[in-house]
């Protein structure tokens, strides 16, 4: 994989200077440009097509949350902000990560590694047939890419900055450094569904569903939360004997 081309958007020049330094220190990142004006940055992002944008949230005229909804989906976002309350919102808009200012290089590097892994997984997926025709995915774990068959996945659970793939016949999960949103985008929706902020299930592995929308898969009981209930109920309607 070639270097990830990056754009920085922040209305604070000192914050931009720090992020530029961090990008230049990271071997697999390449700085394209930086902008203090979020409105100007939008047209530049669309024309320059970076893989990654480090995006501040609180900015005049157009804040980072608003801007993120206008950025093409092939460009991934890592939010940078001094306000912790935006963390949950950042994951709702498909951000790869959220960095809280003041940002230490170690945390920056962890987020950059997460982006690198996401693009490596995407590159593997793009070189294969369409999602629904593929039968496996490559997951980076313990420093290597491991091939995991879709048919072996029971469910995926999220915990902070990591996700855990629970597989048939294996006592311990395969742990990788990604967001749930990134994994959700990689798995084919014909076979997998997100039913909880922290859970993606294999639809073929469902053993039972009770009246409280609790799903049993193996020894795990996973509750379908309100945010995902309508989608899950639609699936049940389409796949139940009437």
């Amino acid at each position: 994989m070639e270097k990830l081309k990056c754009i920085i958007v922040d209305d604070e020049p000192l914050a931009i200077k720090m992020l530029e330094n961090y990008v230049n220190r990271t071997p697999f990142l390449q700085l394209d440009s930086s902008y203090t004006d979020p409105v100007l940055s939008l047209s530049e992002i669309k024309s320059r097509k970076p893989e990654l944008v480090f995006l501040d949230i609180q900015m005049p005229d157009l804040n980072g949350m608003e801007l993120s909804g206008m950025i093409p989906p092939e460009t991934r976002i890592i939010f940078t902000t001094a306000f912790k309350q935006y963390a949950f919102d950042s994951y709702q808009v498909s951000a790869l990560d959220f960095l809280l200012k003041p940002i230490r290089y170690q945390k920056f590097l962890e987020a950059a590694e997460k982006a690198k892994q996401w693009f490596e997984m995407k590159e593997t997926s793009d070189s294969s047939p369409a999602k629904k025709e593929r039968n496996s995915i490559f997951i980076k774990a313990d420093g290597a890419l491991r091939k995991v068959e879709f048919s072996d996945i029971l469910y995926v659970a999220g915990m902070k900055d990591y996700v855990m793939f629970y597989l048939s016949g294996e006592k311990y999960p395969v742990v990788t450094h990604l967001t749930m949103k990134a994994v959700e985008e990689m798995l084919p929706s014909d076979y997998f569904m997100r039913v909880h902020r922290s859970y993606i299930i294999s639809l073929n592995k469902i053993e039972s569903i009770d009246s409280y929308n609790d799903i049993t898969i193996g020894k795990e009981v996973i509750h379908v939360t309100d945010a995902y209930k309508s989608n899950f109920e639609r699936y049940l309607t389409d796949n139940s004997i009437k």
Side-chain angles (χ1 to χ4, degrees):
M1 186 189 70
E2 296 181 359
K3 291 187 177 184
L4 299 179
K5 184 166 65 174
C6 306
I7 282 180
I8 298 167
V9 184
D10 197 308
D11 64 326
E12 299 177 5
L14 287 178
I16 284 183
K17 186 175 181 180
M18 177 196 68
L19 289 170
E20 287 177 340
N21 178 50
Y22 286 175
V23 169
N24 290 330
R25 287 174 61 184
T26 307
F28 55 87
L29 299 183
Q30 177 184 327
L31 181 64
D32 181 280
S33 50
S34 303
Y35 303 92
T36 56
D37 183 343
V39 178
L40 173 62
S41 75
L42 179 59
S43 61
E44 292 299 307
I45 290 168
K46 288 181 177 179
S47 64
R48 302 176 82 88
K49 296 180 173 60
E51 281 81 20
L52 198 57
V53 174
F54 291 93
L55 180 59
D56 188 22
I57 293 180
Q58 280 210 332
M59 295 183 291
D61 299 324
L62 188 66
N63 69 47
M65 289 295 176
E66 295 167 336
L67 180 58
S68 69
M70 304 176 193
I71 292 174
E74 58 270 20
T75 294
R76 306 308 308 209
I77 296 166
I78 294 177
F79 279 114
T80 61
T81 182
F83 301 93
K84 192 174 183 178
Q85 64 265 31
Y86 290 118
F88 178 75
D89 291 339
S90 72
Y91 291 112
Q92 295 297 99
V93 295
S94 304
L96 283 181
D97 212 340
F98 173 93
L99 293 172
L100 189 63
K101 296 176 181 179
I103 301 167
R104 292 184 293 115
Y105 180 66
Q106 177 190 349
K107 290 295 184 182
F108 175 90
L109 184 58
E110 288 175 2
E113 286 280 0
K114 189 182 294 186
K116 178 174 177 283
Q117 183 176 345
W118 189 91
F119 279 101
E120 286 174 343
M121 290 175 66
K122 182 177 184 299
E123 194 173 72
T124 302
S125 299
D126 289 348
S127 64
S128 303
K131 276 185 187 179
K132 65 180 180 180
E133 297 175 1
R134 288 188 291 115
N135 54 20
S136 63
I137 190 171
F138 285 89
I139 301 170
K140 189 171 185 178
D142 299 323
L145 285 172
R146 175 179 170 178
K147 185 179 181 180
V148 171
E149 302 290 334
F150 290 150
S151 59
D152 289 336
I153 299 173
L154 299 172
Y155 60 92
V156 182
M159 185 177 69
K160 294 186 178 179
D161 293 334
Y162 294 87
V163 294
M164 298 168 286
F165 286 77
Y166 287 83
L167 308 177
S168 299
E170 297 198 18
K171 185 176 181 181
Y172 300 106
V174 178
V175 181
T176 189
H177 192 241
L178 278 176
T179 64
M180 288 292 285
K181 188 66 179 177
V183 173
E184 184 181 10
E185 292 173 351
M186 289 293 180
L187 295 175
S189 59
D190 286 356
Y191 308 124
F192 296 91
M193 182 178 292
R194 192 165 184 179
V195 295
H196 187 285
R197 183 185 175 193
S198 300
Y199 287 96
I200 298 169
I201 63 165
S202 170
L203 297 168
N204 291 333
K205 301 297 184 181
I206 296 174
E207 296 174 15
S208 64
I209 307 159
D210 68 15
S211 58
Y212 299 101
N213 280 327
D214 289 330
I215 299 168
T216 300
I217 299 179
K219 296 181 180 180
E220 189 75 7
V221 177
I222 300 168
H223 182 67
V224 182
T225 57
D226 290 344
Y228 303 94
K229 187 180 294 184
S230 61
N231 195 32
F232 184 68
E233 289 179 343
R234 192 178 307 115
Y235 165 78
L236 291 181
T237 300
D238 294 340
N239 291 275
S240 299
I241 298 175
K242 299 177 176 62

